């Protein structure tokens, strides 16, 4: 008898947001992967959100890029690497080092990032390496450096549990950093006196736990925090002892804030007097205050000033570096922090050293024994793509990111890549909106296949470990970079045999000439053995000396010493908050993430569970704005920007402010006909950080005058004809699509046959046609099981999406399938709320109404909703409040 091989477990880290949750993966003897939260990881202690929980669903090889390609032709790695190396070399020789660039990613592991930065800055001799983290937290980096003299996040996650007041500003934590949100919920449950303030133009899911929601006008945060500084002064909350001992510039900063009395602040921010005063008084009275901020602060043309306006209030009260208090930037990506450590931004050097500092340049060049070193900052992301567009940059290597979708002014970015003489793209997928512009495609290893480290928002370095074989000829990014460097003539300087070699070098560089000159120091690991690297536990930096405890909570600045020339923190004087430029377009456009998708959906789009919550792109708009533009809930709308229009579904609710609209960032040409929101967004950026203002665009909205609407499900991928609107997503056993057109269909049957790639066969096809009302329903049933179905109508098709999507492969009466709704034995679950367990809104409402469920625990016991990852609990609580007739926000 052959004994089955015991499942192999591996500790690794989630590849999505900046919380950096630990994950334990298990691979059974058939190769099936399961994931669970790592109970020992100090970021999550076993918790995972919906995205982390569904990681195993994203590991299939569908659509993977498995071999290198040149101009669409499969080639060997050697041929591809030679082409990259020789083209970069020739371009540099002909036009100089600044004629080439790398555009990398917060998805890169620290080791990948380190090699990319070393090659560009130390050997090519340009600083033209920037990263999609420019879009995520560059304003925080700039704000930190202005205030602290270093890019340091002072606090740790534990501070969120120790605080008496948490201010969440520009942060929909419930959806974007769900496990941190869950930690706060747990802390507030055990200490109900803990207060939460949410500052956000939108009423987001995070408001579920808010004691106070301040629906601030877009981009008026600077005024709000200047007003706070003035209030703290007037209320006697200023800590003069701390200011005198540890800071500089307070008087000037306060003087600039004195203009912002309550009336002025109310007028600018739109916050009413009672709420504004309450917020200010709570801050004034509460020593243990943490201010958490994220993309709503960073993604602004005044992002750096926003960050410093927040930090000023903490310095003024001395609330920094001690348990339960401090400003806290939460990064969007899994390794935004690791990228900062190695100098992955165009204006950084390496190990938190500065390009403009000749001593730092000398140190790094000597350490690398490099022939050159960049002497000035390179091009930041927006300027980089402009330089590609105008021919200044002639060769670019894009790695682990999708700028054609994620960059603002995305059409211009697309045109830039089309016009660029040489584009290399390293990716795990063959078809993205960016890979189609590549001359050379390099197959990269993905999560579970690559090996290295990432750093989360609390400066904690964790291992991302390999637990799957590399598919096809996919290779780690550090390897491809190293091979190119060798072919460019720098063999001995890039002689790495594994990620451990790179990590040791990175750690050693961080430790040179320290003597408290810099914050980032992981010298404890400069001689780490391969086996210790392999088993490395999560650790926070700074980690100067060996023997440090892995479980420590390592706060910064508790001693009042900072990394400025005089050791004092700087107050930043903010003279005049910028005003939005008047726009011909009426609505302010806000963009952001949804609960269950990640960036451009290259991974989460593979998961049926994650695609069930929100299956198509949408625009949230208020009832009054919807009435003004003449659209109703669930109709399609056109959003018009300066250069382009897109089509998305209208979601009419009053979670927005009048005059604003919210659209998610995720949908690309791979998932919808015309829904790339960043084609409407201008590239205006913060002048200091270079971070684009992705929360504050301008659009008009008009109805999309559809002649017909459709909904389809199929076990096979759909072949969608050239129509004006479609949006497709995975379901449990196949695919689904929303469809609509501006031109009446000539022949509905032919349309159905094309969509399903099969001719009409009376043996398998069932139809219901009411041509006078424009209703056509088709179902393909084989062996009494549903294979595909299409519903066409002149109005938005009324079929139950969640029910139909769940019927693929199921048996039922033909008439039931053609009705598009379940019978009493299989009721319609409604829109999916709990993605993990597939529980819909109708099931939860039934539990509330019919089974008298009054708490989320009752609903969990009755339906299981919310009992796995808990990411849907805010929505379940909102349904409970609606049923009880309570306002959704307290
Ligand atoms: Fe991953 Fe969710 Fe944890 Fe973020 S909160 S790291 S997405 S599991």
């Amino acid at each position: 008898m052959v004994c089955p091989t015991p499942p192999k477990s591996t500790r690794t880290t989630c590849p999505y947001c900046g919380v950096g949750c630990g994950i334990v993966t298990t691979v059974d003897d058939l190769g099936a992967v399961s994931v669970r939260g790592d109970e020992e990881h100090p970021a999550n202690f076993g918790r995972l959100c919906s995205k982390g929980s569904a990681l195993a669903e994203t590991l299939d090889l569908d659509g993977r890029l498995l071999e290198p390609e040149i101009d669409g032709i499969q080639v060997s790695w050697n041929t591809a690497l030679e082409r990259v190396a020789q083209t970069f070399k020739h371009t540099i020789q002909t036009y100089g080092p600044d004629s080439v660039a790398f555009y990398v990613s917060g998805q890169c592991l620290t080791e990948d990032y380190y090699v990319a930065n070393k090659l560009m800055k130390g050997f090519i001799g340009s600083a033209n390496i920037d990263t999609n983290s420019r879009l995520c937290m560059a304003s925080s980096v700039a704000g930190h450096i202005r205030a602290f003299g270093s890019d340091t996040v002072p606090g740790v996650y534990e501070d969120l549990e120790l605080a008496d007041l948490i201010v969440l500003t520009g942060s929909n934590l419930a959806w974007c950093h769900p496990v941190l949100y869950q930690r706060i919920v747990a802390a507030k449950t055990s200490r109900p006196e803990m207060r939460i303030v949410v500052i956000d133009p939108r009423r987001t899911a995070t408001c579920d736990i808010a004691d106070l929601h301040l629906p601030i006008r877009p981009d008026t945060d600077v005024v709000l925090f200047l007003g706070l500084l003035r209030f703290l002064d007037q209320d006697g909350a200023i800590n003069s002892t701390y200011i005198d001992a540890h800071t500089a510039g307070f008087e000037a900063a306060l003087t600039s804030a004195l203009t912002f009395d309550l009336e002025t602040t109310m007028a600018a921010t739109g916050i009413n007097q009672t709420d504004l005063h309450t917020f200010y008084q709570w801050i004034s009275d509460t020593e243990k205050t943490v201010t958490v901020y994220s993309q709503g602060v960073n993604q602004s043309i005044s992002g750096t000033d926003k960050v410093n306006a927040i930090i000023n209030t903490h310095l003024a009260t001395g609330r920094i570096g001690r348990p339960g208090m401090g400003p806290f930037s939460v990064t969007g990506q899994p390794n935004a922090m690791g990228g900062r450590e190695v100098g992955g931004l165009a204006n950084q050097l390496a190990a938190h050293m500065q390009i403009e500092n000749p001593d730092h340049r000398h140190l790094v060049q000597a350490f690398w024994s490099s022939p050159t070193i960049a002497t000035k900052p390179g091009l930041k992301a927006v300027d980089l793509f402009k330089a590609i567009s105008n021919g200044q940059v002639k060769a670019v290597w894009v790695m682990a990111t999708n700028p054609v979708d994620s960059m603002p002014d995305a059409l211009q970015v697309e045109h830039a890549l089309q016009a660029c003489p040489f584009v290399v793209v390293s990716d795990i997928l063959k078809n993205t909106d960016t890979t189609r512009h590549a001359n050379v495609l390099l197959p990269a290893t993905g999560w579970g296949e690559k090996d290295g480290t990432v750093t989360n928002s609390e400066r904690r370095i964790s291992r991302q470990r390999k637990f799957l074989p590399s598919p096809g000829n996919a290779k780690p990014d550090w390897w491809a970079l190293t091979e190119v460097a060798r072919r460019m003539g720098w063999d001995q300087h890039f002689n790495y045999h594994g990620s451990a070699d790179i990590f040791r070098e990175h750690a050693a560089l961080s430790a040179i000439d320290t003597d408290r000159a810099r914050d980032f120091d992981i010298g404890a690991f400069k001689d780490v053995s391969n086996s210790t690297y392999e088993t490395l536990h999560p650790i926070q930096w700074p980690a100067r000396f060996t023997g440090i405890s892995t479980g420590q909570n390592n706060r910064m600045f508790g001693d009042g010493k900072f990394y400025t020339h005089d050791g004092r923190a700087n107050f930043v004087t903010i003279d005049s908050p910028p005003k939005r430029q008047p726009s011909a377009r009426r609505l302010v456009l806000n963009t952001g993430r949804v609960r269950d998708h990640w960036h451009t959906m290259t991974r989460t789009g593979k998961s049926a569970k994650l695609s069930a919550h929100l299956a198509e792109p949408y625009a949230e708009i208020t009832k009054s704005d919807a009435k003004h533009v003449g659209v109703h809930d669930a109709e399609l709308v056109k959003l018009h920007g300066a250069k382009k229009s897109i089509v998305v579904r209208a979601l009419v609710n009053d979670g927005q402010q009048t005059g604003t609209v919210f659209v998610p960032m995720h949908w690309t040409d791979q998932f919808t006909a015309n829904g790339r929101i960043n084609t409407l967004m201008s590239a205006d950026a913060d002048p200091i950080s270079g971070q684009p203002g992705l929360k504050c665009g301008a659009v008009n909205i008009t109805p999309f005058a559809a002649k017909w609407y459709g909904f389809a499900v199929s076990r096979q991928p759909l072949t969608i004809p050239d129509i004006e609107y479609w949006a497709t997503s995975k379901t449990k056993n196949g695919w689904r699509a929303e469809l609509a057109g501006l031109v009446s269909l000539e022949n509905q049957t032919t349309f159905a046959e094309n969509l399903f790639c099969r001719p009409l066969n009376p043996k398998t096809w069932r139809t219901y046609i009411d041509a006078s009302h424009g209703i056509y329903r088709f179902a393909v049933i084989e062996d009494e099981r549903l294979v595909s179905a299409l519903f066409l109508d002149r109005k938005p098709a009324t079929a139950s999406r969640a029910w139909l999507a769940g019927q693929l492969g199921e048996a039922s009466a033909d008439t039931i399938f053609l009705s598009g709704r379940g019978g009493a034995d299989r009721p319609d679950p409604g829109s999916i709320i709990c993605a993990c367990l597939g529980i819909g809104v109708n099931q939860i409402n039934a539990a509330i109404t019919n089974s008298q469920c009054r708490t989320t625990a009752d609903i969990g016991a009755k339906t299981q909703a919310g009992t796995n990852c808990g990411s849907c609990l805010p929505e379940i609580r909102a349904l409970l409040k609606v049923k009880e007739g309570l306002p959704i926000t307290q």
Side-chain angles (χ1 to χ4, degrees), residues 592-668:
R593 292 174 174 166
V594 301
R595 190 190 77 190
D596 290 350
H597 275 306
W598 175 257
H599 283 197
T600 56
M601 293 164 57
T602 48
R603 278 184 304 218
T604 53
K606 287 176 163 233
S607 162
K609 278 183 187 163
L610 297 179
S611 301
H613 182 236
L614 292 164
E616 62 181 330
Y618 64 87
E620 273 188 283
I621 179 172
T622 62
K623 289 177 190 147
S624 63
D625 284 327
K627 192 172 173 193
H628 185 265
V629 297
V631 298
H632 299 96
D633 190 35
E635 289 179 350
L636 292 168
V637 289
K638 280 185 103 167
L639 269 63
H640 307 270
K643 297 181 180 175
K644 195 176 183 302
S645 303
I646 65 166
V647 183
V648 297
R649 189 75 57 181
L651 213 59
V652 179
N653 61 47
D654 281 338
Q656 312 300 301
Q657 296 185 16
T658 300
T660 68
V661 57
F662 173 82
V663 180
M665 63 187 275
H666 308 286
W667 272 268
T668 71

Side-chain angles (χ1 to χ4, degrees), residues 14-21 23 44 47-53 176-180:
C14 177
Y16 294 124
C17 83
V19 179
C21 294
I23 286 182
N44 56 320
R47 297 177 177 94
L48 289 180
C49 75
S50 52
K51 292 184 283 288
S53 298
C176 302
H177 299 93
V179 165
L180 281 190

